[in-house]
């Protein structure tokens, strides 16, 4: 028995919005934001996996780091999805669609040595950072300064976590190799 109700708005469509951003511009912004949303969700799940599976001498610090990072990723995804809605679009929301639409590839489900996990995270953050920078520029060029500001805030958080991972991966350590 199906419990689905009539669709109010189909995915991929753009409705008129109260922000007064014309449909053509909104469509471009929604597409970019949905890509960022998908990438953020893929990042969230990889960070969550690492939170569950981290081990070793720095377990506690890394466990807490990963929890903060995945919580911030989740909050960022929420802000992006809400902006898509405000622009008159439908945010990507199905797990399979996140992975399909995402420009970043999650690592396999295996458990890796901590340094490998962190290098994988550093690479994913870097790829997302590059994409978000492009989307900041797109939003600016289309005159959507609120989306640009939202993405700048996301970019600031992404860069902070990438830099923090860089510190964790530093060669100088109190633990033996």
């Amino acid at each position: 028995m199906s419990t689905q109700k009539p669709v109010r708005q189909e995915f991929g469509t753009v409705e008129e919005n109260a922000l007064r951003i014309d449909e053509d511009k909104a469509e471009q912004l929604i597409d970019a934001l949905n890509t960022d949303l998908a990438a953020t969700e893929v990042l969230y799940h990889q960070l969550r996996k690492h939170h569950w599976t981290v081990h070793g001498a720095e377990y506690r610090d890394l466990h807490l780091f990963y929890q903060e990072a995945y919580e911030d990723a989740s909050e960022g995804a929420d802000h992006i999805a809400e902006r898509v809605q405000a622009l008159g679009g439908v945010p990507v929301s199905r797990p399979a669609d996140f992975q399909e639409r995402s420009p970043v590839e999650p690592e396999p489900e295996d458990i890796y040595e901590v340094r490998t996990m962190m290098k994988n995270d550093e690479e994913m953050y870097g790829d997302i950072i590059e994409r978000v920078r492009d989307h900041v520029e797109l939003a600016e060029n289309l005159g959507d300064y609120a989306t640009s500001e939202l993405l700048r805030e996301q970019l600031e958080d992404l860069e902070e976590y990438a830099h923090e991972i860089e510190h964790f991966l530093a060669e100088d350590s109190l633990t033996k190799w």
Side-chain angles (χ1 to χ4, degrees):
M1 177 169 98
S2 176
T3 59
Q4 293 185 2
K5 305 288 181 198
V7 173
R8 189 175 64 83
Q9 182 181 354
E10 289 184 20
F11 183 81
T13 63
V14 178
E15 292 183 345
E16 188 175 326
N17 61 71
L19 308 181
R20 296 191 181 181
I21 294 176
D22 69 67
E23 190 176 317
D24 182 51
K25 290 179 181 180
E27 192 173 316
Q28 293 176 64
L29 292 160
I30 290 163
D31 184 59
L33 288 169
N34 269 329
T35 298
D36 295 336
L37 176 57
T40 303
E41 285 292 329
V42 169
L43 174 67
Y44 165 84
H45 286 284
Q46 182 162 300
L47 295 170
R48 187 77 191 239
K49 171 193 169 191
H50 292 168
H51 170 77
W52 293 332
T53 63
V54 71
H55 54 278
E58 297 180 36
Y59 164 81
R60 186 178 192 297
D61 289 340
L62 289 171
H63 188 73
L64 294 173
F65 166 79
Y66 277 120
Q67 181 173 353
E68 181 183 323
Y70 78 68
E71 287 173 351
D72 281 357
S74 178
E75 184 178 331
D78 193 51
H79 292 302
I80 294 168
E82 288 173 357
R83 187 64 183 175
V84 168
Q85 167 69 40
L87 289 166
V90 178
V92 64
S93 60
R94 292 182 339 147
D97 293 335
F98 292 143
Q99 192 163 345
E100 181 180 315
R101 187 176 184 94
S102 175
V104 294
E105 187 84 19
E107 69 181 25
E109 290 192 35
D110 305 315
I111 296 176
Y112 297 93
E113 184 265 331
V114 174
R115 207 168 234 329
T116 300
M117 289 178 2
M118 296 208 86
K119 285 181 180 178
N120 291 343
D121 296 333
E122 183 179 46
E123 183 68 25
M124 188 178 287
Y125 270 108
D127 290 345
I128 294 171
I129 286 167
E130 288 177 350
R131 185 66 58 120
V132 171
R133 281 187 188 137
D134 291 342
H135 294 163
V136 166
E137 186 176 345
L138 173 69
E140 288 279 325
N141 291 340
L142 294 175
D144 183 357
Y145 304 110
T147 295
S148 173
E149 181 62 27
L150 172 111
L151 291 174
R152 286 177 195 278
E153 291 171 9
Q154 298 289 321
L155 185 59
E156 207 173 306
D157 289 343
L158 292 164
E159 288 180 350
E160 183 178 323
Y161 283 109
H163 185 62
E164 210 166 326
I165 289 171
E166 185 177 45
H167 284 295
F168 277 118
L169 290 171
E171 293 297 324
D172 187 15
S173 175
L174 295 174
T175 60
K176 283 187 168 186
W177 284 87

